[in-house]
């Protein structure tokens, strides 16, 4: 069993390095007659536009709202998480990342340059908000709503003299 597993991994690695990616391909790519991954010219411009709009300062939600208004190419409605997955996906700069922390460099033809992808990652760090709690909530993540069984959220109000906690 170990020998078969090892040979399977070896074969899969060779296939990935030659451009035969397993699973469902991301937007912007398709398979040719030899099952090799190539750029889909019909959706390539959408991917380029997503990265360009993100670098212009638009958020994931703003981009998805614009695409939904335009009814742009996509099987379902655009969501902010869809845009986020596209921005995070290394395949668009030509690299393939497996579930394990293994990255195959220059596997497919890139849609965007490595510099643009890395610039988007820096932009993402700038866009992230840092939330700090200045109050201690004793029952944080511990109280459950008796009717819907969801975890209750915590909120606080008040100033320096009096502080009120709400769940």
């Amino acid at each position: 069993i170990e020998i078969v597993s090892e040979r399977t991994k070896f074969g899969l690695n060779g296939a990935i390095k030659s451009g035969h990616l397993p699973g469902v391909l991301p937007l912007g790519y398709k398979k040719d007659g030899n099952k090799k991954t190539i750029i889909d010219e019909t959706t390539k411009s959408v991917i380029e536009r997503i990265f360009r709009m993100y670098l212009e300062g638009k958020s994931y939600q703003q981009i998805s709202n614009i695409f939904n208004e335009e009814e742009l190419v996509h099987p379902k409605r655009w969501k902010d998480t869809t845009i986020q997955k596209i921005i995070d996906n290394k395949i668009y700069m030509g690299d393939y990342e497996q579930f394990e922390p293994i990255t195959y460099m220059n596997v497919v033809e890139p849609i965007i340059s490595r510099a643009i992808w890395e610039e988007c990652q820096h932009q993402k760090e700038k866009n992230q908000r840092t939330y700090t709690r200045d109050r201690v909530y004793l029952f944080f993540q511990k109280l459950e709503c008796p009717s819907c069984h969801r975890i209750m959220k915590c909120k606080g109000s008040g100033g320096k003299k009096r502080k009120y906690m709400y769940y």
Side-chain angles (χ1 to χ4, degrees):
I1 293 173
E2 289 176 12
I3 293 171
V4 171
S5 174
E6 197 172 304
R7 287 179 181 162
T8 304
K9 286 180 184 176
F10 183 76
L12 185 61
N13 289 343
I16 290 171
K17 288 177 184 175
S18 66
H20 298 278
L21 302 182
V24 179
L25 294 177
L27 186 69
Y29 287 98
K30 66 179 181 178
K31 293 192 185 226
D32 65 358
N34 299 327
K35 296 185 181 177
K36 189 172 180 184
T37 305
I38 59 171
I39 293 176
D40 184 4
E41 295 297 330
T42 58
T43 56
K44 174 185 175 184
S45 60
V46 175
I47 299 301
E48 291 171 336
R49 187 173 171 204
I50 288 171
F51 279 92
R52 191 172 53 249
M53 290 170 80
Y54 191 72
L55 285 177
E56 289 170 359
K58 292 195 175 17
S59 68
Y60 302 137
Q61 189 64 54
Q62 289 172 331
I63 296 170
S64 64
N65 289 344
I66 290 169
F67 285 179
N68 284 329
E69 287 172 11
E70 295 175 1
E71 296 178 359
L72 206 60
V73 179
H74 203 265
K76 299 177 184 174
R77 289 185 48 81
W78 286 91
K79 297 179 183 173
D80 58 340
T81 53
T82 308
I83 303 297
Q84 181 181 5
K85 286 177 186 174
I86 289 172
I87 297 289
D88 291 341
N89 200 340
K90 291 183 177 185
I91 195 76
Y92 295 113
M93 66 174 175
D95 299 347
Y96 178 73
E97 191 170 53
Q98 255 183 333
F99 295 112
E100 304 167 21
I102 299 172
T103 302
Y104 299 93
M105 304 290 281
N106 302 319
V107 173
V108 294
E109 187 181 345
I111 293 178
I112 58 155
S113 69
R114 193 170 297 277
I116 291 174
W117 190 87
E118 288 173 1
E119 200 174 324
C120 282
Q121 303 314 303
H122 291 299
Q123 181 71 28
K124 190 170 66 171
E125 289 174 14
K126 289 179 193 174
N127 291 354
Q128 287 179 345
R129 298 179 185 152
T130 54
Y131 292 103
T132 56
R133 294 191 185 276
D134 57 345
R135 299 172 190 233
V136 177
Y137 298 97
L138 294 176
F139 302 110
F140 180 68
Q141 296 285 324
K142 293 183 177 106
L143 291 180
E144 186 179 284
C145 176
S147 59
C148 68
H149 302 291
R150 289 185 179 171
I151 302 288
M152 291 188 163
K153 294 180 183 176
C154 309
K155 287 199 175 192
S157 66
K160 292 180 181 177
K161 293 183 181 179
R162 291 187 179 176
K163 294 183 180 180
Y164 299 99
M165 309 294 171
Y166 299 98
Y167 294 93

